[in-house]
Amino acid sequence: MGEPIVRYENVHKSFGAVEVLKGINLDLKQAEKVAVIGPSGSGKTTIIRMLMTLEEPTSGEIIVDGKNLWHMEKNGQLVPANEKHLRQVRGDIGMVFQHFNLFPHMTILENCMTAPIHVQKEDKKSAKERSIEMLEKVGLGDKLGNYPSQLSGGQKQRVAMARALVMRPKIMLFDEVTSALDPELVEEVLEVIRDIAHEGRMAMVLVTHEMEFARDIADRVLFLDGGVIAEQGSPEEVFGNSENKRLESFLRRFRR
Amino acid sequence: MNGNWNWDTFFDALPMVLEGIGITIGLTFACYLFALIFGFLWIFLRRIPVKSLNWIITWIMEFIRSTPPLVQLFFIFYAWPMVPVIGMALDPFTSAVLGLGIHFSTYIGEVYRSGIEGVDKGQWEASTALNFSIRQKWTKIILPQAIPPAIPMLGNYLIIMFKEVPLASTIGVVGILHMANSYGAQHWAYLEPLTIVAILFLILSYPSAILINKLEKKMNRRFDKKAIVKNSKGAVM
Ligand SMILES: Nc1ncnc2c1ncn2[C@@H]1O[C@H](COP(=O)(O)OP(=O)(O)OP(=O)(O)O)[C@@H](O)[C@H]1O
Ligand SMILES: [Mg+2]
């Protein structure tokens, strides 16, 4: 599989005086599925937000498909990335948020079509066809003309996934996409993610509290604690019998 | 002066006062348009990420807002031509558009700002994740959500401005108030022409207020309404 599609090199992140991430080193292989687990406040969301360019690292580098995300070269020197550079590099990345963040003034179909048309300059007809196809795939083919306010949480989150997927990203980020949902709606969303994962083409980073689910679909599980990746390995290794005391006590809470 | 109400005077004054109505309404809309556009300018000036500039802009806005519009009007009409180098004489109508327009643009700017701040920050994040340009984020995602809820408030300012426009008669803009005053001076009868002015304001602003009220109710329901319409279209697709 050659070069990693994403590489974090000694990435630090502070909010004010508080250092949340204290040196993250991580290679994400092409098409690899990585689950990120860890206690609340350990920086899971921050890790993927930096990759989505929603949060700037305090130091360190993030390399996406061979390109430095937060820095660019200018007169032979590395300088902070400008908006143009960020737009070039983040085009390969998509994200699904905990609170959906659908555009309330657009129909479901418009939510999906708008970025392919305006960002990728795809022609309207094919963007529409692909969007409809994608919405059918997530089981919402009968809701095209509806507005987000008319959908259940589970449906909203499936629209959010379709909206990200029509952009054909190489890397998809999921930030606890089921934790704002009523329990009975969680499974329909996880089901869609499983389908996407099994198609296999995209690299995926999933921040999740659904341990069963992580075990199910992840190639690798990271346990984030104390600002670093405290433990990582295959699901068997991480969920099996780890030596790590903190990981053990973290997992124990989910076994009950 | 005759203290008694006289219908003959009333009907005599009516055509003359009505002559000013075009100017009054025209000035209202000119000021309003100016304020709507200038209001945006404040927003963008304030968003320039330079601390000192930010502070200066905020201060200028505060200054404009806490000075009476009449003083600003007088300043632009009488004092501005005497300012060295940049000063110039302006006709009464232009002075009124500038003076009232700038004054109200600071309020309109606030209306925009609260509309924009009312948009969830997740909307910015989702549009970044979809790789929209900064311009597209504003035009396609943020403003379409920020402006509709602000429309009733913007409508209110139209009515408020309409009621402030007679101030312009002090610098010689010949709207209805100016006309009524002239009639009064000529015929030594103020009661009837000024009553006409009051009635005209009532006739024009009361229905507008009702309209805006309706609009406000409609805005609150807008996504559901639109949904039903689009839905029937959606089925045809
Ligand atoms: N914009 C911000 N400003 C200040 N502090 C922040 C900001 N974003 C995150 N933090 C802090 O950084 C720490 C890590 O936050 P993060 O959201 O990444 O944690 P998390 O692992 O995703 O937690 P959770 O499981 O609760 O979602 C937390 O202590 C949080 O309070
Ligand atoms: Mg989080």
Side-chain angles (χ1 to χ4, degrees), chain A residues 49 52-54 87 90-91 93 97 101-106 110 114 118-119 128 146-147 150 163 167, chain B residues 120 122-123 125-134 136 140-141 144-145 223-224 226-227 230-231 237:
Chain A
R49 281 173 62 85
M52 193 66 263
T53 70
L54 298 173
R87 281 196 82 200
R90 72 168 161 240
I93 309 168
F97 299 86
N101 299 348
L102 295 179
F103 304 132
H105 59 302
M106 297 182 189
E110 288 164 349
T114 179
H118 297 297
V119 176
K128 185 173 173 181
N146 283 74
Y147 281 80
Q150 301 171 308
R163 182 177 70 173
M167 296 292 278
Chain B
D120 182 61
Q123 296 291 308
E125 299 187 344
S127 48
T128 298
L130 291 169
N131 213 5
F132 280 107
S133 69
I134 290 175
Q136 288 170 333
K140 306 217 177 296
I141 309 299
Q145 294 181 62
F223 291 135
D224 309 331
K226 228 160 75 181
K230 286 263 185 158
N231 233 343
M237 272 189 309

